[in-house]
Amino acid sequence: MSFRIAVVSDTHLGSKFQQLSALRKFLRFAKREGAEEILHVGDLFEGRMSHRGSEFLRFLDSADEMVDYAVSKYPDTGLKTSIITGNHDISLMKESGYNPVRAVCQQRDDFKFMGNDEAFVSIHGVKIRLYHPGGSPGLAKSYRAQQEIWRNEITPDILLVGHFHFFNSVHEKGVTGINTACFQSQTPYEKGKNLHPNVGGVLLDIHNGKRVGVTYVPYDSIEQDW
């Protein structure tokens, strides 16, 4: 059996650097290309991070504003989206006392809340781990995905890692590990650290339950896409 799924992450809705047009294009493309469903690997929202000047980098401020925006603006392709929270989403939880990602899922029939920071999903018997860590990726782009694969005795068939805003794919110990890119252009914070995000999504073609084809679909950033 062969099937295709689409993967997105780090959409950062509410950020002045969000790339909603690219997200819309990718999800429409994924559906045209036969994707059965969508996996979102966290940071649906920009949130309210504590680093200095972050309040000037978003156009939405409160959790309610961000939830309302996602409910009305996040592209609806008719495909189910399984989603976890990321650290930016958690920053809203710490301030507002409720889970904004869960709130979106309660108002959108096409969204399914899977958990905070990580979750396991099974699609046609293929076990997929969604994981949104914190911290830095390490000296090599592949490091965190490889670390997660090797330090766990029970491994999924596919590991999807959000948070780092770049695309990378590795295959270790029978597991396909993927850093999932993002839909946010380079922020001043990233520019100061000489970080260059990859804007785009990923298509996974899964054959006979194990063989995984990975396609990264990149997009150019648009200024003031909000």
Side-chain angles (χ1 to χ4, degrees):
M1 179 181 184
S2 299
F3 62 96
R4 172 174 285 173
I5 58 176
V7 181
V8 300
S9 189
D10 294 270
T11 47
H12 288 272
L13 299 183
S15 166
K16 292 182 180 179
F17 300 88
Q18 69 175 30
Q19 295 296 301
L20 186 60
S21 296
L23 176 65
R24 186 178 295 114
K25 290 176 182 177
F26 173 71
L27 293 179
R28 289 175 178 172
F29 171 76
K31 185 174 183 178
R32 288 198 308 270
E33 293 298 307
E36 293 187 11
E37 61 181 273
I38 303 161
L39 302 177
H40 192 306
V41 197
D43 278 354
L44 175 62
F45 298 110
E46 174 64 8
R48 289 175 57 87
M49 301 303 286
S50 59
H51 62 266
R52 186 175 181 180
S54 62
E55 66 272 22
F56 304 115
L57 304 180
R58 56 180 182 260
F59 66 94
L60 299 173
D61 194 56
S62 70
D64 283 339
E65 287 177 316
M66 293 190 192
V67 169
D68 289 345
Y69 184 84
V71 170
S72 64
K73 298 294 186 181
Y74 193 98
D76 184 356
T77 63
L79 300 177
K80 181 181 74 172
T81 296
S82 297
I83 186 170
I84 61 173
T85 61
N87 59 307
H88 282 250
D89 304 319
I90 296 294
S91 72
L92 288 172
M93 291 174 61
K94 290 178 179 178
E95 286 202 353
S96 66
Y98 84 115
N99 189 320
V101 177
R102 186 190 293 271
V104 171
C105 295
Q106 290 171 342
Q107 298 181 59
R108 290 273 300 251
D109 292 338
D110 56 324
F111 271 72
K112 182 178 182 181
F113 180 68
M114 301 304 297
N116 294 325
D117 301 328
E118 69 173 327
F120 285 89
V121 300
S122 180
I123 302 176
H124 298 305
V126 177
K127 192 174 185 181
I128 305 171
R129 182 188 178 197
L130 284 63
Y131 180 50
H132 196 106
S136 64
L139 294 177
K141 284 187 173 182
S142 62
Y143 175 74
R144 290 296 292 272
Q146 291 172 307
Q147 181 188 48
E148 285 299 313
I149 292 170
W150 283 98
R151 78 177 184 176
N152 291 292
E153 292 184 4
I154 301 175
T155 56
D157 300 304
I158 301 170
L159 169 66
L160 302 175
V161 182
H163 182 65
F164 299 120
H165 290 209
F166 58 73
F167 168 75
N168 176 261
S169 178
V170 298
H171 191 78
E172 300 274 353
K173 209 168 69 171
V175 180
T176 300
I178 301 162
N179 286 297
T180 54
C182 69
F183 286 91
Q184 184 183 43
S185 63
Q186 187 186 47
T187 66
Y189 176 82
E190 290 174 317
K191 187 174 182 180
K193 292 183 174 292
N194 197 31
L195 299 173
H196 301 274
N198 296 143
V199 175
V202 175
L203 293 178
L204 300 181
D205 291 293
I206 303 168
H207 307 280
N208 300 320
K210 292 295 181 182
R211 187 162 57 88
V212 182
V214 182
T215 303
Y216 167 57
V217 184
Y219 293 90
D220 293 330
S221 297
I222 300 174
E223 291 187 7
Q224 298 184 331
D225 191 26
W226 52 283

